[in-house]
Amino acid sequence: MTMKVLLTCGSTIAMTAMFAAAPVAAQTTTTPAAPASATTPAADQAAAAGAIPDAAAQSEDIVVTASTGERSRFRSSISVSQLSNEAIQNFTPRSVAEILRNVPGLQPSDTAGPGGNANIGVRGIPVSTGGSEYVALQEDGLPDVLFGDINFGNNDYWIRFDQNVKTVEAVRGGSASTFASQAPGAVINFISKTGEKAGGEVAYSNGLGFREHRVDFDYGAPIDDTTRFHIGGYARNGGGYTNENFNILRGYQIKANLTKDLPDNRGYIRLLFKRLDEQAPTNTTTPSLATVKGNTISNFQPLPTFDGRDGSAYSIYNRYFQYLDYDGGGIKTAEMQGIHPRVTSIGAQFHYDISDNLTLDDTIRYQWISGNFTTQFINVTNRVNTVAGVSCAATSPGANGVIGSCVNGQIVGSIRYAAGPNAGQVYTGSYINNNPNINTLMKNMNNFANNLTLNGKFDVGPGKARVTAGVFVMKQNIVQDWHVNRQFSELNGTNAAPLDLFSTTGTQLTAAGQAGFNDNWGSCCARRVDLTYTDAAPFLQVGYEVGGLNLDASVRYDSVHGEGTAQGGVAGPTTQVRDALGVALIPSLVLSATPEKIDYTDHYVSWSLGALYALSNNTSVFARASRGGRFNADRRVLSGNFNADGSLNAQGQATSVNFLNQQEIGLKQRGGVLGGSYSVEITGFHSTLTENNYDFTRINQPAPNNNPNISNGYRSYGVEFSSRFNAGNFNLAVDATYAASKIVSSATAALVGNKPGGLPDFLFVVSPSYDAGPVAFGVSVNGQTSTKSDDFNLYTIKGSTFVNGFVTVRPTERVELGLNVNNLFDKLGFRGGGSLGPTVSSTTAVFNNTALYGRTVTGSVRYRF
């Protein structure tokens, strides 16, 4: 099967090469400029000169991510993309995940909002549990956290894009398996400016039609002939893109670095600092109405009281809520902040040329990380129970919360507003929200990372050999308390009020809408974890280059040790709680007195083999095969994987590591056409994965998708396409991914042969722009084809296409006025899968998923100096 796929991809690439080369033959071949340095890529040089970067010359930028840092994009046998700061800023990404839409091969569900919590898939491999299982986010070469899918600690929580970033570089597949840990799918590296040339900028931006005020600045410069610095950051506050009536979005980031060149130009020492302290909203479900025709869901429309484009769970009536402390502190109050990361980071980079043939590099960093995930989830259900004959056991907590259902051992007879102008009045709306409020305290997410490499270059026969040996060590703490409370509120996109439930005999069952402490998802999720994982990974790469041929082989050995404890929930006290309507007795779960112990070590080997041949100065082809491991960490606790002494039991040993196998063939072409310059990169890929994992969020879902144990085999094949073209003042970027995915094996027999839920076959981004100097403008069209609702393929969800745009006016040499629009046509649409909620008619139902934000317009003024 693999050979057939590769031959098919090879034929596609060959035809594309013929098409790309044809116009070049009609004119003089364009020879790219001399290679730009790793610190000053071609894009930066062109921007400094006030010109559009030459598309062909950009392919000579040195790749520093998941590589030796010795080769250009054109001469590297890997699939790599480089996004400049200016190109990203033009389209005002509202989250890190939105930036990643511009990287072919990635499948980000970029609907979670600026706080993060996005799912980031790669090359048709699904995100089964949440987060970024096979994708690492790095800052200056080190991952922000060791695992991209930590429960309540995903890697996009801890990183922000701003003017400090010079380039975002993305490597998919290939050497990501052996030059990085826990990221066989892709490595995304946010590379900082370092002050080679004096200059900077300050900018103020303001939401037009929503409250967000933001100030950005950065400045870098040489201090003397051997010393330079860069410093920058931002501060912002406001109601966020859904324009809340309080500052749900507020905080700042400061980053700085200082570089000292060593004598005789033999290297440098660089110190780095970062402080991030920002609360930002994260979105869960933003429901809509949808047309259901057969098994197809389409034609999304707002609900009467909730519009997914600007509706939100954040409300002036839920800014604070109560939770039950696990350490005997009684009832405490949490502030609704979305995701609030607090990161203080110090690090250093050391580069030294021991000789002309031997180079030593070391990157080291320590991060103090804490924060909280404090938000309101949304789930839509009917106000009145449609199931007759409900009876309640005395100990039944219930979950539905609607009239006629059971809550805390009693039948609900009425629902009343618990706050707001209608407090005390009977609630008669069609729907209620019965999803929890959550307060996860990320008490200690500190980590330490160090990556040491020794690079050697030697003449061997007619060519040159390159040997890279290194070791990566990272220690990651995961110390958290989870408080997941049963909560009820009206379904309203603006300032939803909590709802109190009363029994048929008039007993108040909730207070301020809360029906239970720590018990919404059962005993799994009244949880405390105190875990530490240490990954030690030596790696080796050997390469040989002769003429246009470049061969390399690499291997990595990861040894991961996990230790600590995890506690689940047991029945706790019933607490008397008062609100404006009266007193309710609220049940709870507290921590088990018998924690699960974790104390074990597991290891695995990853490898990669690659070859590239430069057919000419303008055309190269490459092939690569690789296998990368991915360690299952905190998501495996409290799910039957450990013996009493903390060692892995038989199930744990069989499921502790997932392996991603990939084969790639690719074409890289550059040159001149139609009076301009272009570059094209095409990669055909084939991927297989056997994944074992555990997703506690499935426990309370409707059958059949309610089994938390995941044991599936996946197969995916497809093509990544990336091209850049510029002629005069015109620039065009086109990125697209086709990925055909399939579940080929599963412990759940009904899944075999299905398409993984939430993955489109085709994604694309087309971005033309024009820069005439005094005026620049452009649009970006991004979209995807339909997806399946879930792994059972119950429904097909229609895909959506969105348009962003920008206009920049430069009235004087150093001043820019900008207008940026996201979702220009205010389209209501979704990424990923989803599920159906209550039925409205024979052809209409409530659709549960997270919509993209509606149209948001930002005005800005920028001064460069």
Side-chain angles (χ1 to χ4, degrees):
M1 179 64 185
T2 299
M3 182 57 67
K4 180 180 178 181
V5 171
L6 293 178
L7 289 173
T8 301
C9 293
S11 299
T12 302
I13 290 170
M15 288 188 291
T16 305
M18 292 173 62
F19 171 80
V24 180
Q27 56 183 291
T28 303
T29 301
T30 299
T31 302
S37 71
T39 55
T40 311
D44 286 359
Q45 296 176 23
I52 293 177
D54 182 274
Q58 281 184 283
S59 63
E60 285 296 323
D61 288 347
I62 300 299
V63 180
V64 299
T65 302
S67 72
T68 62
E70 291 281 345
R71 296 195 175 279
S72 68
R73 232 171 57 201
F74 180 73
R75 295 302 298 267
S76 298
S77 57
I78 54 177
S79 298
V80 58
S81 298
Q82 293 165 322
L83 307 175
S84 71
N85 183 287
E86 186 173 9
I88 294 170
Q89 285 194 55
N90 281 341
F91 297 104
T92 321
R94 295 165 293 187
S95 66
V96 167
E98 285 196 10
I99 296 173
L100 303 185
R101 298 294 297 184
N102 297 281
V103 179
L106 295 185
Q107 294 142 329
S109 295
D110 52 342
T111 58
N117 209 38
N119 296 338
I120 306 172
V122 59
R123 288 184 167 177
I125 298 302
V127 177
S128 298
T129 56
S132 306
E133 292 178 78
Y134 303 99
V135 177
L137 299 182
Q138 295 185 346
E139 285 189 290
D140 296 312
L142 290 176
D144 59 346
V145 287
L146 181 56
F147 308 105
D149 66 337
I150 297 173
N151 280 315
F152 296 108
N154 294 354
N155 52 17
D156 67 338
Y157 290 18
W158 319 106
I159 196 167
R160 295 290 186 268
F161 173 82
D162 63 12
Q163 290 177 187
N164 288 292
V165 175
K166 176 179 65 179
T167 308
V168 176
E169 191 168 78
V171 172
R172 288 94 62 197
S175 58
S177 297
T178 52
F179 276 84
S181 289
Q182 317 304 333
V187 177
I188 317 297
N189 190 10
F190 288 68
I191 302 170
S192 298
K193 300 175 183 177
T194 54
E196 281 82 2
K197 182 177 179 180
E201 55 188 287
V202 61
Y204 170 73
S205 60
N206 185 41
L208 304 180
F210 67 98
R211 288 191 310 109
E212 180 183 328
H213 307 281
R214 173 169 174 149
V215 176
D216 283 84
F217 80 97
D218 82 296
Y219 182 73
I223 298 174
D224 55 37
D225 291 343
T226 63
T227 312
R228 59 190 181 274
F229 77 97
H230 188 270
I231 186 170
Y234 72 87
R236 61 178 173 175
N237 68 67
Y241 304 112
T242 54
N243 207 25
E244 303 308 317
N245 290 352
F246 61 99
N247 288 348
I248 185 62
L249 176 65
R250 64 179 188 263
Y252 68 92
Q253 175 171 266
I254 298 290
K255 294 178 70 176
N257 58 69
L258 177 68
T259 304
K260 176 69 174 179
D261 292 329
L262 300 176
D264 302 322
N265 293 320
R266 300 187 74 88
Y268 61 85
I269 298 173
R270 178 173 296 138
L271 304 178
L272 302 103
F273 169 81
K274 167 184 168 179
R275 172 62 181 176
L276 170 64
D277 187 346
E278 178 185 77
Q279 70 170 58
T282 184
N283 300 321
T284 57
T285 296
T286 48
S288 72
L289 293 175
T291 299
V292 183
K293 187 175 182 179
N295 67 344
T296 300
I297 298 174
S298 61
N299 189 30
F300 304 111
Q301 301 293 328
L303 283 153
T305 59
F306 197 104
D307 189 330
R309 293 167 293 189
D310 57 15
S312 169
Y314 299 100
S315 165
I316 59 175
Y317 303 119
N318 70 3
R319 289 191 61 185
Y320 301 92
F321 64 87
Q322 295 180 317
Y323 68 97
L324 183 65
D325 180 58
Y326 290 141
D327 295 315
I331 300 297
K332 293 188 173 182
T333 299
E335 181 183 2
M336 193 77 73
Q337 295 182 336
I339 298 177
H340 187 169
R342 292 177 284 271
V343 182
T344 301
S345 170
I346 57 172
Q349 296 175 338
F350 175 71
H351 173 84
Y352 185 67
D353 296 331
I354 300 171
S355 68
D356 290 342
N357 296 325
L358 202 60
T359 301
L360 180 69
D361 286 275
D362 190 55
T363 304
I364 188 171
R365 187 197 63 212
Y366 191 88
Q367 296 195 117
W368 292 267
I369 303 177
S370 63
N372 52 280
F373 183 110
T374 312
T375 193
Q376 173 76 56
F377 282 23
I378 293 179
N379 179 67
V380 182
T381 188
N382 288 310
R383 178 177 56 86
V384 178
N385 188 24
T386 58
V387 179
V390 174
S391 62
C392 290
T395 58
S396 172
N400 201 358
V402 299
I403 292 175
S405 71
C406 176
V407 168
N408 296 339
Q410 300 190 56
I411 299 294
V412 177
S414 64
I415 303 176
R416 296 180 179 273
Y417 288 95
N422 298 318
Q425 297 182 26
V426 173
Y427 176 69
T428 60
S430 299
Y431 307 110
I432 65 170
N433 170 25
N434 66 345
N435 236 8
N437 57 41
I438 294 179
N439 181 33
T440 296
L441 305 175
M442 301 176 284
K443 299 158 75 172
N444 179 350
M445 304 291 289
N446 299 353
N447 60 50
F448 167 81
N450 189 84
N451 194 67
L452 174 68
T453 60
L454 184 65
N455 296 281
K457 297 182 288 185
F458 312 97
D459 293 329
V460 177
K464 286 188 176 294
R466 177 178 287 105
V467 179
T468 299
V471 62
F472 168 82
V473 177
M474 188 164 183
K475 183 177 182 180
Q476 176 71 58
N477 294 340
I478 306 174
V479 181
Q480 300 178 344
D481 282 357
W482 298 10
H483 299 281
V484 185
N485 304 319
R486 281 184 294 138
Q487 168 75 23
F488 302 97
S489 61
E490 65 175 325
L491 183 67
N492 197 323
T494 303
N495 291 327
L499 299 175
D500 273 343
L501 313 182
F502 292 81
S503 74
T504 52
T505 60
T507 301
Q508 186 170 335
L509 304 176
T510 65
Q514 289 189 225
F517 293 121
N518 310 319
D519 64 351
N520 189 83
W521 291 325
S523 61
C524 82
C525 303
R527 179 176 291 199
R528 167 174 287 172
V529 294
D530 188 345
L531 304 168
T532 299
Y533 294 91
T534 304
D535 188 346
F539 56 92
L540 175 69
Q541 184 198 48
V542 178
Y544 186 70
E545 182 176 4
V546 57
L549 181 64
N550 172 22
L551 304 172
D552 73 85
S554 53
V555 64
R556 187 182 190 92
Y557 177 83
D558 281 87
S559 179
V560 184
H561 178 72
E563 61 182 30
T565 58
Q567 294 170 266
V570 295
T574 297
T575 305
Q576 188 178 82
V577 182
R578 175 179 292 276
D579 70 359
L581 302 189
V583 177
L585 297 176
I586 309 299
S588 70
L589 291 179
V590 294
L591 299 177
S592 168
T594 306
E596 179 177 69
K597 183 178 180 180
I598 292 90
D599 186 5
Y600 70 104
T601 300
D602 204 355
H603 50 263
Y604 58 90
V605 175
S606 303
W607 56 264
S608 185
L609 300 171
L612 177 139
Y613 187 72
L615 300 171
S616 70
N617 192 43
N618 288 333
T619 304
S620 62
V621 292
F622 72 92
R624 182 171 288 274
S626 59
R627 181 185 87 150
R630 197 277 177 196
F631 189 81
N632 289 321
D634 65 306
R635 289 183 180 266
R636 301 301 291 162
V637 304
L638 300 176
S639 54
N641 291 287
F642 300 97
N643 296 314
D645 64 356
S647 62
L648 291 170
N649 58 25
Q651 174 180 289
Q653 290 173 354
T655 61
S656 66
V657 180
N658 298 327
F659 287 103
L660 178 60
N661 299 280
Q662 298 184 79
Q663 301 86 42
E664 308 165 65
I665 56 174
L667 165 76
K668 302 185 181 190
Q669 169 79 36
R670 63 190 181 186
V673 63
L674 301 176
S677 171
Y678 77 92
S679 67
V680 175
E681 297 186 21
I682 305 174
T683 304
F685 61 84
H686 177 262
S687 305
T688 58
L689 169 73
T690 299
E691 180 178 44
N692 295 281
N693 221 316
Y694 184 88
D695 182 5
F696 66 85
T697 65
R698 298 187 179 189
I699 294 173
N700 282 356
Q701 290 187 9
N705 198 24
N706 58 347
N707 184 355
N709 294 290
I710 300 169
S711 182
N712 296 333
Y714 303 99
R715 177 235 64 199
S716 175
Y717 64 85
V719 178
E720 297 169 355
F721 176 88
S722 182
S723 69
R724 300 293 182 268
F725 172 77
N726 65 272
N729 298 326
F730 176 74
N731 187 74
L732 176 66
V734 180
D735 297 291
T737 304
Y738 171 77
S741 306
K742 186 177 182 179
I743 301 173
V744 294
S745 63
S746 178
T748 305
L751 300 182
V752 176
N754 287 356
K755 182 178 178 61
L759 289 181
D761 286 334
F762 184 68
L763 302 92
F764 66 91
V765 181
V766 179
S767 303
S769 60
Y770 188 83
D771 191 337
V775 177
F777 55 89
V779 296
S780 179
V781 182
N782 66 91
Q784 64 181 48
T785 54
S786 61
T787 63
K788 297 298 183 181
S789 57
D790 55 24
D791 286 354
F792 288 92
N793 292 186
L794 297 178
Y795 299 98
T796 298
I797 315 299
K798 184 181 178 181
S800 300
T801 298
F802 301 88
V803 179
N804 301 337
F806 76 93
V807 176
T808 300
V809 178
R810 304 180 182 103
T812 64
E813 182 180 355
R814 298 179 181 274
V815 176
E816 288 186 358
L817 305 177
L819 189 69
N820 298 69
V821 185
N822 290 68
N823 195 357
L824 176 63
F825 299 109
D826 202 28
K827 186 178 183 64
L828 176 58
F830 300 85
R831 316 276 200 205
S835 63
L836 288 182
T839 298
V840 177
S841 69
S842 60
T843 59
T844 305
V846 175
F847 178 67
N848 290 316
N849 195 4
T850 308
L852 263 73
Y853 286 114
R855 180 170 49 242
T856 54
V857 183
T858 302
S860 64
V861 57
R862 185 179 306 273
Y863 179 73
R864 302 183 189 272
F865 53 91

